[in-house]
């Protein structure tokens, strides 16, 4: 498939990395020649330097016979015009745009994106994706990463193994024997910075970061088995009242259970906007690093602090200060991936990477067939793919032990007849089942072949 990716920043580069690695014809367009050069030097892609919304630039990028345009520049307006030009001039069949401004996302203006108006097939909102990721982190405070699958019935949890974990040095096959009714599978382990898919004989050790698939009903028990305690988040302090912080606060207010939320925002006009939009949240105008203001927000009695300003260093320092003042859990928004290794030394419990959430969202919309969800792990090291098994799939009707899966893949959960099944070698995968597969990036093309699913436009 021929794909044009407009914008060679972190998101565009990651999407290009995914698609070029799967033998697609990818061209990257950006008005910054250095970013284009970085993409062409590190990836098997072509590059064009220029404004993505200009017809002649898209023409040079090969839009006349392109299957898809992904507009992910830093400008909403450039992304929108790019999709319009791709449709009107070059008849590109599928167009995806990343839009940040919430004014463009008001449901009352949904008709704007119809084909006879502004023809964008899929609109991706990073702020909404990040707000949803933040809510998922709050739902599983003991995990450093979490994502929902199978219509919310299964969870992928990222768990750091501590010294007091009760199942240290226990082979994974023994966990199945010890906890026979537990619907959970360890699908990935990161050790000394390297991520791998474990075998039944592998063990977990202190400082490992593991990825576990679990039935949502078994989430608390799964966390306890790996030495984590789950507590209710009833008092939350949000530092940052922009689109992300406001989205999280509004979602928390909409919950049936009572959650007390306080927000700190440094920009007065932004604080006033948040105060007008929220009913029960107390909004404080000031610096989230100010100890006195944090005390006024009752940080010492809060269950969690969520630092989601637009500055990474402010988020990290605010999270560290809140922890130092007694807040038991800190979640930080981090755009720069080189800062992520600092999370553990700084004692920050979890982080949200907007790039990873946006990349996962875009991948979810460009995979063809019956793929229903995609989640990118780490620095594009692995993917979790949720897909419905087709009748034409080589795995339909086979037992798991008889399926020739690549070494770097593992089935995390199977949805059969409305129930979550923990897969074993004897589990038979039937047509219509929905499965989740943890796959190292190099093995994704082979997984797609087994599912009879390929990157394609709808």
């Amino acid at each position: 498939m021929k794909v044009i990716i407009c914008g060679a920043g972190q998101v565009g580069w990651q999407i290009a990395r995914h698609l070029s690695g799967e033998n697609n014809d990818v061209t990257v367009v950006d008005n910054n020649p250095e970013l284009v050069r970085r993409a062409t030097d590190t990836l098997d892609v072509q590059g064009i330097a220029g404004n993505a919304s200009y017809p002649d630039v898209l023409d040079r990028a090969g839009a006349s016979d392109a299957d898809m345009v992904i507009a992910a520049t830093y400008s909403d307006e450039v992304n929108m015009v790019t999709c319009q030009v791709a449709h009107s001039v070059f008849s590109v069949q599928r167009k995806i745009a990343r839009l940040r401004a919430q004014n463009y996302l008001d449901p009352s203006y949904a008709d704007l994106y119809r084909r006879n108006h502004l023809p964008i097939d899929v609109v991706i909102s990073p702020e909404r994706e990040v707000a949803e990721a933040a809510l998922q982190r709050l739902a599983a405070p003991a995990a450093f990463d979490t994502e929902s699958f199978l219509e919310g019935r299964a969870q992928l949890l990222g768990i750091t193994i501590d010294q007091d974990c009760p199942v240290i040095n226990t082979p994974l096959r023994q966990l199945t024997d010890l906890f026979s009714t537990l619907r959970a599978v360890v699908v990935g382990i990161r050790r000394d910075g390297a991520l791998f898919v474990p075998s039944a004989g592998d063990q977990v050790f202190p400082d490992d970061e593991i990825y576990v698939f679990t039935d949502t009903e078994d989430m608390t028990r799964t966390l306890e088995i790996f030495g984590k305690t789950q507590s209710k988040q009833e008092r939350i302090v949000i530092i940052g009242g922009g689109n992300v912080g406001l989205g999280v606060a509004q979602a928390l207010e909409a919950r049936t259970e009572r959650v007390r939320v306080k927000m700190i925002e440094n920009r007065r006009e932004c604080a006033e906007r948040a105060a007008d939009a929220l009913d029960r949240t107390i909004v404080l105008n000031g610096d989230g690093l100010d100890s006195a203001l944090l005390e006024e927000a009752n940080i010492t009695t809060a269950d969690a602090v969520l630092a989601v300003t637009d500055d990474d260093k402010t988020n990290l320092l605010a999270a560290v200060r809140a922890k130092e003042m007694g807040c038991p859990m800190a979640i930080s928004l981090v755009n720069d991936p080189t800062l992520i290794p600092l999370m553990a030394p700084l004692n920050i419990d979890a982080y949200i990477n907007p790039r990873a959430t946006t990349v996962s969202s875009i991948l979810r919309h460009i995979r063809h067939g019956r793929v229903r969800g995609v989640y990118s792990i780490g620095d594009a090291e692995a993917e979790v793919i949720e897909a419905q098994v087709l009748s034409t799939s080589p795995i339909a009707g086979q037992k798991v032990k008889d399926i020739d899966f690549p070494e770097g893949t593992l089935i995390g959960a199977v949805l059969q007849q409305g129930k979550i099944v923990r897969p074993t070698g004897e589990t038979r995968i039937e047509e219509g089942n929905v499965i989740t597969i943890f796959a190292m990036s190099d093995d994704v093309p082979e997984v797609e072949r087994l599912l009879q699913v390929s990157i394609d436009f709808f």
Side-chain angles (χ1 to χ4, degrees):
M1 183 177 63
K2 188 168 185 177
V3 184
I4 299 174
I5 299 173
C6 302
Q10 292 291 349
V11 169
W13 187 87
Q14 286 289 0
I15 293 295
R17 177 179 175 182
H18 278 273
L19 297 186
S20 64
E22 295 163 5
N23 299 318
N24 293 281
D25 182 356
V26 178
T27 300
V28 174
V29 179
D30 200 288
N31 58 10
N32 185 334
E34 289 300 318
L35 291 179
V36 173
R37 189 175 300 112
R38 183 192 69 156
T40 56
D41 288 348
T42 57
L43 303 172
D44 183 17
V45 301
Q46 301 176 67
I48 299 291
N51 192 311
S53 63
Y54 290 177
D56 64 316
V57 174
L58 285 178
D59 191 22
R60 285 192 288 129
S64 58
D65 60 348
D67 300 304
M68 179 186 299
V69 166
I70 301 171
T73 75
Y74 288 106
S75 168
D76 288 355
E77 289 71 26
V78 168
N79 293 340
M80 296 164 79
V81 173
T82 297
C83 290
Q84 181 71 70
V85 172
H87 174 81
S88 300
V89 179
F90 300 104
S91 300
V92 177
Q93 296 187 46
R94 189 150 177 84
K95 300 157 290 291
I96 298 175
R98 177 177 67 172
L99 301 181
R100 294 177 179 276
Q102 298 301 295
N103 289 345
Y104 287 132
L105 304 172
D106 191 316
S108 60
Y109 305 137
D111 280 351
L112 175 64
Y113 306 111
R114 293 175 61 179
R115 280 187 172 270
N116 56 342
H117 293 154
L118 189 59
I120 301 176
D121 300 293
V122 177
V123 173
I124 303 295
S125 168
E127 283 78 7
R128 290 186 178 180
E129 299 290 338
V130 171
E132 178 60 31
L135 290 168
Q136 292 198 37
R137 298 292 186 278
L138 289 171
F144 67 82
D145 196 1
T146 179
E147 180 70 11
S148 295
F149 290 90
L150 305 178
E151 301 174 353
R153 301 181 192 182
Q155 299 287 329
L156 176 70
L157 302 174
I159 303 172
T160 301
I161 302 299
D162 299 323
Q163 294 285 347
D164 57 356
C165 174
V167 294
I168 284 176
N169 302 329
T170 304
L172 297 180
R173 67 164 59 91
Q174 288 189 19
L175 294 182
T176 303
D177 298 332
L178 290 169
F179 309 102
S180 58
T181 61
L182 182 70
R183 291 163 293 182
V185 178
V186 178
V187 292
I189 298 176
R190 180 179 283 106
R191 182 174 297 152
D192 299 326
L195 181 67
F196 64 94
V197 172
S199 64
D202 281 318
Q203 306 172 31
V204 294
F205 301 116
D207 299 324
D208 280 354
E209 293 180 351
I210 68 171
Y211 289 91
V212 185
F213 254 109
T214 179
D215 186 299
T216 301
E217 294 179 355
D218 290 347
M219 185 168 65
T220 300
R221 186 180 172 208
T222 299
L223 288 166
E224 289 174 350
I225 286 170
F226 289 100
K228 304 293 183 180
T229 55
Q230 186 82 320
S231 57
K232 292 187 67 174
Q233 308 296 299
E234 298 177 338
R235 296 176 297 276
I236 297 170
V237 175
I238 300 173
I239 299 176
N243 290 330
V244 174
L246 180 58
V248 172
Q250 288 174 326
L252 292 173
E253 284 192 348
R255 290 183 175 179
T256 53
E257 66 270 24
R258 189 78 171 183
V259 180
R260 299 176 184 174
V261 182
K262 293 188 178 180
M263 176 185 290
I264 299 174
E265 168 53 49
N266 200 28
R267 297 164 295 181
R268 185 171 184 83
E269 67 279 4
C270 194
E272 291 175 348
R273 179 179 70 109
D276 290 341
L278 297 168
D279 295 326
R280 301 195 305 269
T281 301
I282 297 174
V283 180
L284 305 175
N285 177 218
D287 187 354
L289 294 175
D290 186 339
S291 298
L293 193 59
L294 287 170
E295 287 183 1
E296 186 179 345
N298 295 327
I299 196 68
T300 56
T301 59
D303 297 309
V305 62
L306 183 63
V308 290
T309 76
D310 55 8
D311 183 80
D312 286 354
K313 296 178 180 62
T314 297
N315 293 337
L316 294 179
L317 289 172
V320 169
R321 172 149 287 179
K323 292 276 285 192
E324 186 269 335
M325 294 179 68
C327 185
M329 180 186 180
I331 302 172
S332 178
L333 180 69
V334 180
N335 288 279
D336 184 353
T338 64
L339 295 176
I340 291 176
L342 296 176
M343 297 298 109
L346 292 175
N347 195 29
I348 297 174
D349 301 279
Y351 65 88
I352 305 162
N353 184 343
R355 180 192 66 180
T357 58
T358 305
V359 168
S360 295
S361 182
I362 292 175
L363 287 174
R364 188 179 308 130
H365 289 289
I366 66 177
R367 295 203 184 279
H368 180 56
R370 297 301 176 87
V371 167
R372 309 196 321 181
V374 176
Y375 186 62
S376 181
I377 299 292
D379 188 18
E381 301 160 275
E383 284 185 24
V384 180
I385 299 173
E386 175 185 320
Q388 188 171 13
V389 178
L390 304 173
S391 60
T392 55
S393 169
I395 70 176
Q398 290 201 54
K399 292 183 177 181
V400 170
K401 66 180 182 182
D402 298 326
I403 300 173
D404 188 22
F405 278 117
E407 186 176 338
T409 64
L410 204 59
I411 297 179
V414 181
L415 182 62
Q416 289 184 337
Q417 298 178 347
K419 296 181 179 180
I420 301 297
V421 175
R422 180 182 64 184
T424 67
E426 296 298 322
T427 302
R428 189 178 298 277
I429 306 298
E430 302 289 0
E431 175 190 352
N433 287 173
V434 182
I435 63 175
T436 55
I437 299 178
F438 185 100
M440 301 301 293
S441 292
D442 291 344
D443 296 311
V444 168
E446 177 62 15
V447 170
E448 291 189 321
R449 187 193 68 79
L450 290 171
L451 293 170
Q452 290 293 290
V453 172
S454 62
I455 296 290
D456 202 353
F457 58 88
F458 292 149

